Amino acid sequence: MQQQQRRLYASVIGVVAVLAIATTLLPWVSLDMLGTKVTWNGLGQTSDLAFSERGIGPHPYGWWVVAAAFIAILSTGLLLSSSTVARKATAPALWLTAAAALAAAAVPITALVDPPWLIGDFVVDIGAQNLAELIGREFLVVPVLSFTIGALVILALLAIATALTVRPIRMRIRVSIDRGTEKKPAKPAPARTVVIDDDEPATRSAGSPPSA
């Protein structure tokens, strides 16, 4: 792979990784259904100072997304490096990036499938016990979580494609040749020395018996 291609792939992976991190800073959980604008992002940080001081909020599972994106950024550093050691480690780092991105994508997917897994018991902590049994997607900011899933899946696909470009999978076919069955070139016949007797006629052909 040429250096220009490495820069292009590294730039695209880096941009998607930054976008994935940015999604964790957006609201993942909101109390809009309760008539308040209090929100929590993927890192568990809230827009309400009182809730922040009391430590009330959903689980900060967004850190898994940050970790996957950080691994992706490290792999781009290896991709841009000209060091021999770094170039050898680039492909494994990209495969690790793909695995980490897919694992991190399980966080928002699980949150959409099972909202209490992300929200936890904070609804009870804020005094909304009567809504505890209604915990569901009403508290989730679905567009942000969906965008996070998309960014992580794209990041994984980019890492896989780049890894295959850096070190393509080649099918090697080994053909064994039996040297013993090879036909050896025929040896040239040894040169024959013809002695011509001056007393014999010069018209005698080489190899004919001398005349009596």
Side-chain angles (χ1 to χ4, degrees), residues 6 9 13 22 38 43 49 70 91 105 114 124 126 133 145 171 175 186 188 191 194 201:
R6 288 177 172 269
Y9 291 141
I13 292 175
V38 179
L43 306 181
L49 181 60
F70 184 72
D114 185 20
V124 177
I126 64 177
E133 69 279 1
L145 292 172
M171 182 179 295
V175 180
V194 178

Side-chain angles (χ1 to χ4, degrees), residues 53-76:
E53 292 177 350
R54 295 168 58 187
I56 297 175
H59 299 293
Y61 291 146
W63 284 109
W64 291 100
V65 178
V66 175
F70 184 72
I71 293 174
I73 293 174
L74 289 179
S75 69
T76 60

Side-chain angles (χ1 to χ4, degrees), residues 107 209 212:
V107 171

Side-chain angles (χ1 to χ4, degrees), residues 3-76:
Q3 189 65 23
Q4 185 176 1
Q5 289 178 313
R6 288 177 172 269
R7 291 175 181 173
L8 176 61
Y9 291 141
S11 299
V12 176
I13 292 175
V15 169
V16 177
V18 171
L19 288 177
I21 294 176
T23 61
T24 64
L25 303 177
L26 298 175
W28 281 24
V29 178
S30 174
L31 298 183
D32 286 345
M33 67 169 300
L34 301 181
T36 177
K37 296 297 182 180
V38 179
T39 60
W40 285 263
N41 61 21
L43 306 181
Q45 300 171 343
T46 180
S47 59
D48 187 272
L49 181 60
F51 287 144
S52 177
E53 292 177 350
R54 295 168 58 187
I56 297 175
H59 299 293
Y61 291 146
W63 284 109
W64 291 100
V65 178
V66 175
F70 184 72
I71 293 174
I73 293 174
L74 289 179
S75 69
T76 60

Side-chain angles (χ1 to χ4, degrees), residues 167-186:
R167 185 174 297 177
I169 299 176
R170 298 184 179 92
M171 182 179 295
R172 297 181 179 180
I173 302 176
R174 297 181 179 179
V175 180
S176 59
I177 301 176
D178 187 2
R179 298 290 183 180
T181 59
E182 290 183 352
K183 293 182 179 181
K184 297 181 179 180

